[in-house]
Amino acid sequence: MAEITLRPMLEPDLLAYKALRDAMLTGHPEAFTSDAETERQRDLASYRSRLAGGLGGGTLFTLLALDGPRVIGALTCEREPRRKVQHIAHLVGMMVADTHRGRGIGRALLAGAIARLQATAGLAQVTLSVTTGNRAAVGLYESAGFTRYGRLPDAVRLPDGRRLDKDLMLLRL
Ligand SMILES: CC(C)(COP(=O)(O)OP(=O)(O)OC[C@H]1O[C@@H](n2cnc3c(N)ncnc32)[C@H](O)[C@@H]1OP(=O)(O)O)[C@@H](O)C(=O)NCCC(=O)NCCS
């Protein structure tokens, strides 16, 4: 296996990013708020919102994990644009390809994102939401120091009728 590298996502990565994301949304519908069918139909240009400076400056970065040239993991960080809440960042879209799970890549993505956030002036805390019972993700976030500040019941409704809660977590930077 080639060495795993981490780096911010750039425009030429968008096709590979979309392919990974579509596969993850299909394979793990309980883990994500977006649904695979809707997202599969999105055009590539719309994913520019996940590049640094996207969403009108609200996207700080998307960090990619690569195995050689292959995109196998991603994590996006957004920042509140309004002045009174600019000290708060949010992590979204954490994913590691099933072929690469359990090898420390999620941990590396999270550590890389937190280090970047700590180096960003004016940020004080970072939040995320995670489906209650997603043991791999909750375990990962807790081991990085995130704590749960709330739980949203009935947060996500799946086509099969399941209703899932979301744990709301935060880390002071
Ligand atoms: C959650 C996810 C990103 C973790 O990535 P990963 O690369 O497999 O995780 P790592 O190998 O870096 O594991 C880091 C830590 O996470 C926790 N963890 C990972 N897998 C776990 C599992 N199956 N059960 C319990 N804890 C687990 C552990 O604390 C682990 O640390 P350890 O190896 O020292 O015990 C990955 O499993 C994934 O993409 N899952 C599907 C999508 C998803 O759930 N995304 C999160 C949305 S909020």
Side-chain angles (χ1 to χ4, degrees), residues 25-26 28-30 32-38 156-164:
L25 294 179
T26 302
H28 304 275
E30 67 298 327
F32 298 101
T33 306
S34 299
D35 71 282
E37 198 184 335
T38 306
V156 170
R157 294 184 175 189
L158 296 182
D160 63 10
R162 276 184 292 162
R163 296 178 176 199
L164 307 176

Side-chain angles (χ1 to χ4, degrees), residues 24 28 31-32 94-96 100-107 129-130 134-137 139-141 143:
M24 294 299 288
H28 304 275
F32 298 101
M94 164 65 103
M95 59 190 84
V96 173
H100 286 69
R101 280 177 77 159
R103 297 193 207 169
I105 296 168
R107 184 184 293 288
S129 72
V130 53
N134 183 346
R135 287 189 49 234
L140 171 58
Y141 300 139
S143 74

Side-chain angles (χ1 to χ4, degrees), residues 49-67:
S49 64
R50 294 245 152 154
L51 298 173
L55 283 183
T59 302
L60 292 175
F61 55 83
T62 293
L63 202 54
L64 295 182
L66 297 105
D67 182 355

Side-chain angles (χ1 to χ4, degrees), residues 17 20 62-65 71-76 92-96 109:
Y17 173 73
L20 172 67
T62 293
L63 202 54
L64 295 182
V71 175
I72 47 87
L75 174 60
T76 298
V92 297
M94 164 65 103
M95 59 190 84
V96 173
L109 280 168

